[in-house]
Amino acid sequence: MHVELQGVSKQYRTGDDREVRALDNVSLHIGEAEFVCLLGPSGCGKSTLLKLMAGIERPSAGSVRFAGKPVNGASTERGYVFQEYALFPWLTVDGNIRFGLELKGISRKRQQEAVERYLELLGLKQAARLYPKELSGGMSQRVAIARALILQPKLLLMDEPFAALDAILRRKLQEEVARLWRQENITFVLVTHDVEEAIYLADRIIVMSPGPGRIKEEVAVRLPRP
Ligand code: ADP
Ligand code: ADP
């Protein structure tokens, strides 16, 4: 399903009551099942753009729509993987991955099948009973990714999801994401600092300007799909 941003601006108010401009009149169309990577220097508004699409921030001006409807709050249709994997510290790896399925009222048997599949997929079987404080950064990030994927979102928003991982694991997860994108009808928006990652994964790369959030250019990638 497609995402549509029209004339979106976002200002934050800081603790000392200053206004910080994060996005300035951004318009953007992301097509059904398109894979878009957002590239740009630190502070240019990439995370803000994702949070607006996720519905966890509201625009100061303009509109954000998903599948034709205004985005209003978070929804399981729109998965979001944070830069800093916000796992529930009181739940095990298994419990963290299962959490959303429980909320959706999925039967115990189907929960179990899905959790086992995603534990396997992300190499977390040995870690199923561990708590977040016992995990390395890379493992935590894999749990965060599994937790989002298991809900089979129509739109998956990822904020530097592989930044904390070693090179081998990063490539494995990039391949996994590319496979999911081919097989499932998911629209992907991924923020990265890694130009190679963007070229490997994206249909289109959106490059943001340094300074207050504007789009500098859009580059269509014409490599054979991974
Ligand atoms: P990155 O550049 O790696 O995407 P972040 O998105 O975490 O890093 O932060 C980008 C900038 O936004 C940083 O300068 C950070 O200090 C600032 N920032 C993030 N969250 C807040 C906040 N809640 N209050 C003030 N500044 C913030
Ligand atoms: P990026 O992800 O590209 O690093 P962000 O979207 O995190 O950029 O931040 C864009 C701008 O908004 C930065 O100047 C940052 O400091 C500011 N910012 C982000 N979040 C907050 C916040 N919660 N409160 C105040 N300023 C923020």
Side-chain angles (χ1 to χ4, degrees):
M1 294 181 210
H2 67 281
V3 185
E4 185 87 51
L5 275 79
Q6 251 164 24
V8 169
S9 297
K10 176 70 183 176
Q11 286 98 248
Y12 293 103
R13 191 167 285 282
T14 61
D16 54 358
D17 218 31
R18 285 178 304 115
E19 289 237 313
V20 179
R21 178 170 291 193
L23 289 176
D24 185 22
N25 196 19
V26 169
S27 294
L28 183 61
H29 177 92
I30 298 173
E32 162 116 26
E34 192 179 7
F35 200 128
V36 166
C37 282
L38 289 176
L39 266 181
S42 193
C44 70
K46 303 182 298 297
S47 300
T48 300
L49 206 47
L50 278 198
K51 287 174 186 168
L52 292 170
M53 293 186 221
I56 55 185
E57 289 282 0
R58 296 172 66 88
S60 309
S63 72
V64 181
R65 293 176 159 261
F66 177 64
K69 283 174 289 183
V71 166
N72 197 355
S75 147
T76 55
E77 280 194 317
R78 290 175 272 114
Y80 185 55
V81 178
F82 295 81
Q83 205 169 5
E84 53 304 289
Y85 22 82
L87 303 179
F88 303 119
W90 62 89
L91 294 177
T92 60
V93 165
D94 181 296
N96 267 279
I97 296 174
R98 186 186 300 271
F99 183 78
L101 297 179
E102 245 159 39
L103 281 188
K104 284 178 90 173
I106 307 286
S107 77
R108 200 74 196 170
K109 181 164 169 289
R110 288 197 37 222
Q111 280 184 30
Q112 198 54 35
E113 287 165 5
V115 169
E116 272 165 27
R117 175 155 174 261
Y118 283 91
L119 285 171
E120 175 81 51
L121 201 62
L122 288 152
L124 289 165
K125 278 181 104 164
Q126 310 301 324
R129 293 176 179 284
L130 299 180
Y131 284 87
K133 67 174 189 311
E134 301 174 277
L135 304 176
S136 68
M139 283 173 116
S140 303
Q141 194 59 302
R142 282 183 276 158
V143 177
I145 292 168
R147 192 177 58 176
L149 288 177
I150 204 168
L151 293 173
Q152 301 187 290
K154 297 281 186 278
L155 172 67
L156 193 53
L157 305 161
M158 306 177 105
D159 199 342
E160 301 200 47
F162 313 130
L165 309 181
D166 67 66
I168 292 169
L169 188 54
R170 186 181 313 146
R171 177 40 61 107
K172 197 172 153 228
L173 285 183
Q174 285 169 349
E175 282 168 5
E176 181 52 33
V177 161
R179 187 188 67 74
L180 277 162
W181 174 71
R182 278 194 311 269
Q183 289 181 356
E184 321 275 333
N185 208 33
I186 306 178
T187 306
F188 277 89
V189 186
L190 185 144
V191 166
T192 181
H193 278 116
D194 182 346
V195 178
E196 270 183 56
E197 177 167 290
I199 292 171
Y200 178 67
L201 288 172
D203 292 317
R204 179 160 52 122
I205 300 174
I206 295 177
V207 185
M208 304 205 38
S209 300
R214 282 174 171 274
I215 291 172
K216 186 170 155 201
E217 58 182 325
E218 301 192 22
V219 185
V221 180
R222 293 206 177 75
L223 289 180
R225 305 309 311 154

